[in-house]
Amino acid sequence: MTELTQFTHESHFLSWLVFLPTLGALACLAAPSAKAAKIITVLTTGVVMILSFGLFKTWMGTPIDVFGPSYGEGMHFVAMADWITVGQAQIQYLLGVDGLSFPLVILTTVITFLSALAGWNIDEWKNNKGVRGYCCLFLILETGMLGVFVALDFFLFYIFWEIMLLPMYFLIGVWGGPRKEYAAIKFFIYTLAGSVLMLVALVAFYFYAPAGHQTFNLIHLATDGAIQDAFNNSTFLGRSFSNTMFVFLFIGFAIKIPMFPFHTWLPDAHVEAPTPISMILAGVLLKMGAYGLFRISYPILPESGQWAAYFLGVLGVVNILYGGLCAMAQTDFKRLVAYSSVSHMGYVMLGIAIMTTEGFQGAMFQVIAHGVSSPMCFFLVGIIYDRAHHREINRFGGLWLTMPVYGSMATLGFFASLGLPGLCGFIGEFWVVLATFAAPMEGAQTLAILAAFGVVITAGYILWMIQRVYLGPAKEEYKGYPQANGRELFILTPLAVLAIVLGILPKQSLFDFMNGTLMQITGLWETAGEPVKQIAAATLGGG
C-alpha cells in the first residue's frame, strides 16, 4: 500500500490555489460597484493562474524515471490533515498533484482566467442583471473545479464535485439565453443523477473494504491488496461488487464527459450558456468526467475495466461518429461546436477503454488538446454573436474579408479542432487510433478503423462550416463589423499559441509531464519487455 509523504513546507500551496477564488468571491459580494466586481474577478483568476505556474518547478529541469515509483509515491505538494471523524470512519483533508492532475490544474486556471476576461461585457448582455452575483458564482465554480483535480480523499472529491454543480446551474439559468431555465434544469438533473450513483459507490467502497483497511483515500483504495481482493470477491445485490460499482461510477462520469446516450444535456447547455460559461463547460467541466475515470474507476477497479472494455470502446466510437454526424446537420453555429465536443470526447473514451499505456496517453492528450481548442471555438462564435446577434450559419458569409484578423484566428482554431497535423487536435486522435489498432483486445482493429473514419466526418463539417461562414464574397450586412478588439485578441492569442505548441512539441509540452503517472496507473511497464520499455521511453519521454 502506497504511503503519501507530507511535505510540510509545501502543504499550504494547493489550499491557497483552491480557496483563493472563494476569497475573491467574498470580495465580489462586498464590491462597491459592478466594475469593481469584474476587476476583482479578473485579478483573482489571474493571480490563481500565476500561482498555478509554481507547480512547474516540480517537473521542469528534474528528470523523472518513467518506470519509477509506484502509483501515489510521485504525489507532490501534499496537504494532509484529519477532517471529519464519524465512528470509525476517518475523512481526511487530503490534496496532492501528480502527472495526471498537474496538466488539468494548469488548464483550469488558464481557461478560467481567459473566461473571466471574456465575461467583461457582462453588463451589456441582454436581459441580464446582477454582475456581483455572476462574479461571485464564477469564482466559486473555479474553487470546485480545482478541488476536484487535487482532492485525494473520495469524500472530499465528492464535495468539490457537488460544489461545482450549483454555480454552473445558476450561471446558465440566470445569465443564459432564451431557454436558459430548461437548459440549466436539464444540466442539473443529469449531473445530480450521476452524483447519486457516485455517492453509492463512495459509501460502498468504505463498507466493503475489510476491517482495518476501510478508507476514503483514493491512493490506498487503488494500491491496498486487501481492498482489491475484497472488491473483486464480493457481491452487491447478487452481482459482482466491482462490476456494479464500475457501472455506477461510469454513468456518473460518462454524464459529465458526456457519453452517448447521456449527452443530450450538453448541446442545450452550450447553446443557452453565455460565452464565458461555454468556454469553461467545454474546456474544464467535460474533463472532470474523464479525470474521474483516470483517477478513480480504473485504478481502483481495473478488472472491471477489462470486463467492460469492448462495450466502452464501442460507446467511444458511437460518440465519435454520432457526434460528428449531428454536428454536420446543425445550422446553429454554437450547437455545431457543442456536438463536435461530443465527437472529440469519444476519442478520450476509446483511448481509456482499451486499457493500454498508449491508449491512456492518447486519451489524456486529447483531454488537454480539446480543452484548448474547444474554448477557443466557443469564444470565436461568441465574438461574431456579439456583433450579429444570431448564430445561423447559413446567414453568414465572407467574414474573412470583413474581419481578416478574426477570420485568421477562426481558421486556426477550427483547424485545431479538425485535427490538422501540426496543431493540438491531431496528436491525441492519432495516438488513440494507433493505440487502438495495436491493442490486444478482440475487435480493436475494427474500432480503430471506425474511429479513423470519424476524422473524415470532422473534416467534412468543419470545412463546410468555414466555407459558409468565412469564405465567399463579403455580405453587405456584415461589411461594417469592427475587427476583433484588443481584449478579444488577448484571449484568442494564448489559446492559438497553445494549439500550435501542443501540436508541434507534444512530448516537451505535455507527454513529459504526464507519462510517468499514466504508466503507473496502467502498470504495464512491470510486465513489458526491455525493448518495449526502450521504445516507449525514446518515443514518449518520462514525467
Side-chain angles (χ1 to χ4, degrees):
M1 180 173 65
T2 300
E3 294 292 339
L4 290 173
T5 302
Q6 183 174 8
F7 298 96
T8 55
H9 63 287
E10 296 176 333
S11 61
H12 298 297
F13 184 85
L14 291 180
S15 297
W16 277 107
L17 192 68
V18 170
F19 292 106
L20 187 58
T22 302
L23 297 178
L26 296 175
C28 286
L29 291 179
S33 65
K35 184 176 181 180
K38 292 190 290 184
I39 292 173
I40 291 171
T41 301
V42 172
L43 288 177
T44 301
T45 55
V47 170
V48 172
M49 180 182 68
I50 294 171
L51 189 64
S52 71
F53 293 160
L55 297 173
F56 277 99
K57 73 177 184 178
T58 301
W59 280 268
M60 298 299 289
T62 305
I64 297 178
D65 186 0
V66 180
F67 312 106
S70 61
Y71 176 58
E73 291 180 358
M75 203 67 65
H76 300 278
F77 300 96
V78 175
M80 183 184 298
D82 293 338
W83 183 28
I84 301 173
T85 302
V86 180
Q88 297 298 317
Q90 180 66 58
I91 299 171
Q92 291 182 314
Y93 175 79
L94 182 58
L95 307 178
V97 64
D98 59 4
L100 174 61
S101 52
F102 164 67
L104 288 164
V105 169
I106 300 298
L107 177 70
T108 300
T109 60
V110 171
I111 297 301
T112 305
F113 171 66
L114 297 178
S115 298
L117 288 174
W120 185 260
N121 61 341
I122 174 179
D123 43 6
E124 300 173 7
W125 297 346
K126 188 182 297 184
N127 298 327
N128 285 319
K129 299 180 180 179
V131 174
R132 292 183 187 86
Y134 171 88
C135 293
C136 179
L137 291 169
F138 186 91
L139 290 171
I140 293 175
L141 177 63
E142 184 175 23
T143 286
M145 295 186 299
L146 288 171
V148 164
F149 293 134
V150 299
L152 297 178
D153 182 281
F154 200 174
F155 186 87
L156 184 63
F157 175 95
Y158 184 80
I159 294 297
F160 282 123
W161 186 279
E162 293 301 292
I163 286 174
M164 170 277 308
L165 176 60
L166 283 177
M168 182 58 73
Y169 168 77
F170 287 111
L171 287 168
I172 297 173
V174 176
W175 289 274
R179 301 176 72 240
K180 56 192 177 183
E181 293 89 353
Y182 167 78
I185 292 173
K186 193 173 184 179
F187 163 79
F188 188 90
I189 291 175
Y190 269 75
T191 306
L192 187 62
S195 297
V196 170
L197 294 176
M198 193 190 309
L199 181 61
V200 173
L202 185 159
V203 174
F205 279 175
Y206 181 84
F207 285 105
Y208 273 72
H213 296 263
Q214 293 174 318
T215 181
F216 294 104
N217 186 310
L218 291 174
I219 304 300
H220 289 175
L221 287 170
T223 58
D224 190 322
I227 293 177
Q228 293 290 304
D229 289 342
F231 288 176
N232 291 329
N233 297 316
S234 299
T235 59
F236 183 84
L237 300 178
R239 298 183 179 274
S240 166
F241 173 82
S242 59
N243 291 351
T244 304
M245 293 304 110
F246 186 89
V247 171
F248 284 2
L249 288 172
F250 172 75
I251 293 174
F253 296 136
I255 289 172
K256 190 69 71 180
I257 288 178
M259 291 299 301
F260 177 90
F262 310 111
H263 68 287
T264 58
W265 65 269
L266 181 69
D268 292 317
H270 269 311
V271 168
E272 302 305 325
T275 296
I277 306 308
S278 285
M279 292 172 65
I280 288 182
L281 190 60
V284 183
L285 259 70
L286 304 190
K287 295 10 178 213
M288 291 167 58
Y291 176 78
L293 295 175
F294 278 120
R295 178 67 76 192
I296 299 176
S297 298
Y298 281 86
I300 298 175
L301 304 168
E303 291 188 10
S304 298
Q306 294 175 350
W307 164 74
Y310 187 76
F311 175 72
L312 298 187
V314 170
L315 281 184
V317 171
V318 169
N319 250 50
I320 294 169
L321 300 179
Y322 170 80
L325 292 172
C326 286
M328 188 175 290
Q330 302 308 311
T331 58
D332 183 295
F333 204 168
K334 205 173 185 184
R335 193 174 286 270
L336 180 148
V337 179
Y339 273 109
S340 76
S341 291
V342 175
S343 179
H344 292 315
M345 292 303 288
Y347 288 99
V348 175
M349 188 67 253
L350 178 60
I352 295 174
I354 61 176
M355 292 185 70
T356 67
T357 300
E358 293 77 14
F360 268 46
Q361 289 164 338
M364 186 62 188
F365 196 99
Q366 178 70 357
V367 163
I368 302 300
H370 183 263
V372 171
S373 63
S374 189
M376 185 177 182
C377 291
F378 276 111
F379 186 63
L380 288 164
V381 174
I383 289 175
I384 199 63
Y385 179 75
D386 288 342
R387 291 158 171 76
H389 303 295
H390 74 84
R391 295 187 298 263
E392 284 297 315
I393 294 175
N394 294 325
R395 289 177 57 185
F396 290 118
L399 288 182
W400 204 338
L401 294 176
T402 303
M403 307 167 65
V405 176
Y406 165 77
S408 300
M409 282 289 193
T411 302
L412 190 149
F414 284 108
F415 275 5
S417 179
L418 181 151
L420 186 73
L423 296 175
C424 62
F426 172 74
I427 304 296
E429 294 179 4
F430 172 78
W431 205 253
V432 167
V433 172
L434 189 67
T436 304
F437 198 86
M441 181 177 69
E442 184 177 355
Q445 292 184 352
T446 301
L447 295 180
I449 293 170
L450 292 173
F453 186 71
V455 176
V456 179
I457 297 176
T458 303
Y461 69 75
I462 292 292
L463 293 175
W464 190 29
M465 178 274 296
I466 290 176
Q467 178 189 11
R468 288 179 289 170
V469 175
Y470 298 105
L471 303 182
K475 291 189 176 182
E476 191 66 33
E477 60 181 305
Y478 304 125
K479 283 186 177 180
Y481 280 12
Q483 277 287 5
N485 59 39
R487 176 181 64 89
E488 293 165 342
L489 289 176
F490 186 84
I491 295 169
L492 289 172
T493 300
L495 295 173
V497 170
L498 284 172
I500 295 171
V501 170
L502 287 170
I504 296 177
L505 300 171
K507 177 181 181 296
Q508 295 86 344
S509 61
L510 187 53
F511 279 130
D512 280 352
F513 298 119
M514 68 183 187
N515 279 352
T517 300
L518 295 180
M519 295 181 83
Q520 291 167 9
I521 292 175
T522 60
L524 296 179
W525 72 92
E526 294 178 352
T527 55
E530 286 303 319
V532 176
K533 289 184 180 182
Q534 292 170 7
I535 292 172
T539 306
L540 300 174

